[in-house]
Amino acid sequence: MTLLAATTMVQSIDQALDAASRAAAGGADLIEFRVDRFAHDPASLSHLVANAALPCIVTCRPTWEGGFYDGGEDARVNLFKNLIQAPKPPAYIDLEWAGYQQSHLWRQQIDQLLRPDGPTGLILSSHDFDGRPSDLSQRVEAMASVAACRVVKVAWRAQSLLDNLEAFKILARTRKPTVAICMGEPGLPSRVLAKKFNAMLTFASLEPTATTAEGQPTIAQLKHLYRWDTINRDTRVLGVIGHPVSHSAGPAVHNAGFNAVGFDAVYLPMPIAPGYDPFAACVSAWLDMPGLHFHGASVTIPHKQNLLRFVRERGGTIEPLAQQIGAANTLARSADGSLHAANTDYAAALDTVCAALNISRAGLAQRRVAVIGAGGAARAVVAGFAASDATVVVYNRTLEKAQELADQFNGKTGKVVPARLDKLCDSCCQIYVNCTPIGMHPHTDATPIPAAPSWEPGTLVFDTIYNPPRTRLLRDAQAAGCVTASGLDMFVRQAAMQFEMWTGHAAPTDLFRRVLTEYLAG
Ligand code: NAP
């Protein structure tokens, strides 16, 4: 069983006792007291350990291993001795591997204090704040071979998602209870998926501001956002691949959906540096990792084109319109391991428009559509409308980009034309779709249509921006009597299509909408 260990830096005994009570109420199994700045008061620390609401790990990390303790080693041994010999000793003492090795005398003292069958276990730990140490396996093996060592702990700064796989491999072959953690944003999977690989524990903080290591989630995030209680060795892993991804709403939305339909999966942020090589290396390794059950992903900027190439090179299938658009946002893996790439953006945009106008996709034929912007979102939207036989005018600040887009999708319908953005006020379309970031948070007073064309009654204005859900463009359009549709609808629909592809369940779209709205409200 993998334990959930809260961490707290001890500032005062009352604060630490309160932290232990809150950690217990939040569902933690253990608490790590970081006593680096409190080591001068062993009697108070004994009182803390005896009265804490949870069994505890006591760690007094010296400055040379990334901590704050700058006292002498004799004082540190005396502190441990006091705690261990108290009527209620800590469950574990954490001691860094470099410290344990520093002298024969020090090793002897520690071995005598922390006997393999004693009430307090020794965690031997090794940290590298620069990256994965080249002798990682040897270190793990050396720590495991110390008779007094009850738990081996290694932590290093992850450079990429690949580091997590190293942590999982260590856990898979270890012969003693082990903790293998990757620090930093790319290392989050090693913390959340610790249960899948039978780690001895994972660490979490009580508040976002109280982390004791970079990339550490809070207890609430681990339990409520990342489904800690449901994770088991068979849990499927999904995520949002992009750069950056830390502010993606995907984890909140999809994990809530998995909860609602009882699908055994967890969805994580998966940052991958720009470029095809990092993308292909990470995704290949994640797909091939035994026991990981990597099941699929949302793929966002800058990897939407990379996904198409990757799936093609791996012999998978690609949705024809995604191929034509030149970008895909969804990776799905079948039970037989085969891969599929799809683009749910264009379909979500079309469905959002059809729902707002109460028509079927066939009803889009012959409609006159103004698409504002010629970037990635516009590409998907133009492709969708062109395939639906609508007439499309692409208005863009850079006319050449609008021209390129029109040339590409004109072949089939002959009805996609480019125009300069400043010609928008002369437009006489029936549907307007904003595919630029103009009006997005925090620039919510901006609009791509400051001088509105003479909108006929029944004109649809659709803003693909979802933050805020009601942009100035939509407010202006509504005031002018137009029908409006929000990017929030599009986001929910594209996420729902992905969800259905991965789970085979109908997506709980009302829940998705509620979670996304709450997420945007902060
Ligand atoms: P992108 O590839 O960077 O393209 C942005 C487009 O906006 C370009 O055509 C650019 O014109 C134009 N633009 C940017 N700033 C401008 C300005 N100040 N004045 C005039 N034109 C400007 O971005 P994207 O990936 O297409 O995303 C665009 C928007 O779509 C995002 O902001 C997002 O809100 C929305 N989106 C929503 C969803 C959803 O699910 N609701 C999904 C995807 C995207 P130039 O060509 O002249 O540079």
Side-chain angles (χ1 to χ4, degrees):
M1 181 184 142
T2 302
L3 304 175
L4 173 50
T7 58
T8 191
M9 196 64 81
V10 176
Q11 318 286 351
S12 75
I13 299 305
D14 286 348
Q15 162 266 328
L17 286 171
D18 176 60
S21 300
R22 288 189 292 130
D29 306 299
L30 268 178
I31 184 157
E32 180 191 42
F33 291 129
R34 283 284 301 269
V35 303
D36 313 12
R37 290 186 165 118
F38 219 84
H40 56 277
D41 191 353
S44 297
L45 289 177
S46 294
H47 172 80
L48 169 64
V49 171
N51 292 286
L54 288 170
C56 66
I57 303 169
V58 172
T59 304
C60 181
R61 189 77 72 223
T63 46
W64 48 263
E65 184 89 354
F68 301 98
Y69 177 72
D70 55 6
E73 294 300 43
D74 288 345
R76 209 152 66 113
V77 175
N78 280 336
L79 168 71
F80 294 154
K81 197 182 271 177
N82 257 290
L83 293 173
I84 292 162
Q85 290 172 352
K88 191 177 167 205
Y92 297 97
I93 295 273
D94 178 314
L95 189 68
E96 54 294 335
W97 174 230
Y100 181 80
Q101 287 176 298
Q102 66 189 336
S103 80
H104 180 65
L105 185 65
W106 171 253
R107 270 198 305 280
Q108 259 185 343
Q109 287 177 308
I110 294 296
D111 289 351
Q112 269 171 13
L113 276 175
L114 294 156
R115 297 190 170 282
D117 54 354
T120 300
L122 172 63
I123 300 176
L124 276 180
S125 64
S126 159
H127 304 83
D128 196 316
F129 297 94
D130 294 325
R132 177 156 42 95
S134 53
D135 62 345
L136 183 62
S137 304
Q138 291 92 318
R139 278 195 208 185
V140 170
E141 193 45 42
M143 287 191 276
S145 62
V146 171
C149 172
R150 206 169 291 175
V151 179
V152 173
K153 177 188 163 198
V154 278
W156 70 94
R157 172 186 282 277
Q159 306 293 344
S160 83
L161 290 177
L162 293 172
D163 285 275
N164 298 286
L165 305 185
E166 292 301 320
F168 301 149
K169 285 176 196 160
I170 285 169
L171 293 172
R173 42 169 202 257
T174 184
R175 58 195 167 90
K176 275 197 174 166
T178 298
V179 181
I181 283 173
C182 301
M183 294 181 277
E185 191 197 353
L188 182 70
S190 70
R191 299 177 182 276
V192 176
L193 303 178
K195 259 174 135 179
K196 266 184 84 70
F197 294 92
N198 202 26
M200 183 263 177
L201 60 77
T202 200
F203 290 104
S205 64
L206 279 158
E207 288 103 20
T209 50
T211 55
T212 51
E214 198 195 341
Q216 200 175 71
T218 63
I219 297 174
Q221 284 169 337
L222 208 51
K223 284 186 84 84
H224 305 305
L225 176 58
Y226 296 121
R227 313 193 71 216
W228 175 257
D229 293 332
T230 70
I231 293 177
N232 62 79
R233 54 183 300 132
D234 298 322
T235 299
R236 299 169 190 86
V237 177
L238 297 107
V240 50
I241 296 174
H243 198 270
V245 285
S246 57
H247 292 104
S248 168
V253 167
H254 286 294
N255 285 324
F258 298 152
N259 260 343
V261 304
F263 187 71
D264 184 11
V266 63
Y267 183 105
L268 301 168
M270 295 178 58
I272 298 183
Y276 183 71
D277 290 345
F279 178 87
C282 279
V283 178
S284 280
W286 272 54
L287 286 166
D288 297 342
M289 174 77 197
L292 182 60
H293 308 108
F294 181 44
H295 189 63
S298 312
V299 176
T300 184
I301 293 166
H303 291 303
K304 289 185 177 187
Q305 288 88 353
N306 293 334
L307 174 60
L308 283 187
R309 177 175 162 193
F310 178 77
V311 170
R312 197 182 311 120
E313 288 180 3
R314 291 270 296 212
T317 55
I318 295 171
E319 182 194 13
L321 205 52
Q323 184 69 64
Q324 206 190 342
I325 294 166
N329 70 340
T330 312
L331 170 67
R333 185 191 211 180
S334 307
D336 65 1
S338 59
L339 301 182
H340 181 63
N343 188 318
T344 63
D345 279 338
Y346 85 84
L350 292 185
D351 289 351
T352 299
V353 167
C354 290
L357 293 175
N358 200 18
I359 58 172
S360 68
R361 283 204 197 166
L364 292 171
Q366 317 308 331
R367 302 251 175 172
R368 295 188 310 279
V369 184
V371 173
I372 307 160
R379 240 182 129 63
V381 168
V382 169
F385 280 113
S388 306
D389 210 18
T391 298
V392 184
V393 187
V394 183
Y395 291 94
N396 197 45
R397 177 176 62 181
T398 312
L399 185 61
E400 296 74 33
K401 285 201 199 159
Q403 181 74 58
E404 269 172 45
L405 191 52
D407 288 348
Q408 187 176 356
F409 293 101
N410 219 6
K412 190 165 169 233
T413 64
K415 293 199 291 192
V416 182
V417 292
R420 280 174 34 179
L421 188 57
D422 56 13
K423 295 288 177 208
L424 193 57
C425 54
D426 304 328
S427 170
C428 59
C429 288
Q430 298 154 308
I431 299 171
Y432 289 80
V433 188
N434 176 36
C435 294
T436 74
I438 305 169
M440 197 163 83
H441 178 82
H443 306 291
T444 51
D445 285 339
T447 169
I449 316 185
S454 50
W455 279 326
E456 299 284 322
T459 299
L460 171 72
V461 178
F462 167 33
D463 199 337
T464 63
I465 290 172
Y466 60 88
N467 187 14
R470 300 299 293 170
T471 56
R472 178 175 156 204
L473 172 64
L474 294 188
R475 294 196 306 274
D476 290 351
Q478 195 173 19
C482 298
V483 179
T484 60
S486 162
L488 192 127
D489 287 333
M490 176 178 164
F491 185 96
V492 167
R493 283 175 202 277
Q494 62 81 23
M497 288 175 204
Q498 296 183 322
F499 186 89
E500 286 164 21
M501 237 181 273
W502 297 325
T503 67
H505 291 271
T509 48
D510 287 345
L511 174 71
F512 278 17
R513 194 176 306 277
R514 199 177 73 231
V515 171
L516 181 59
T517 307
E518 282 168 11
Y519 181 86
L520 295 175

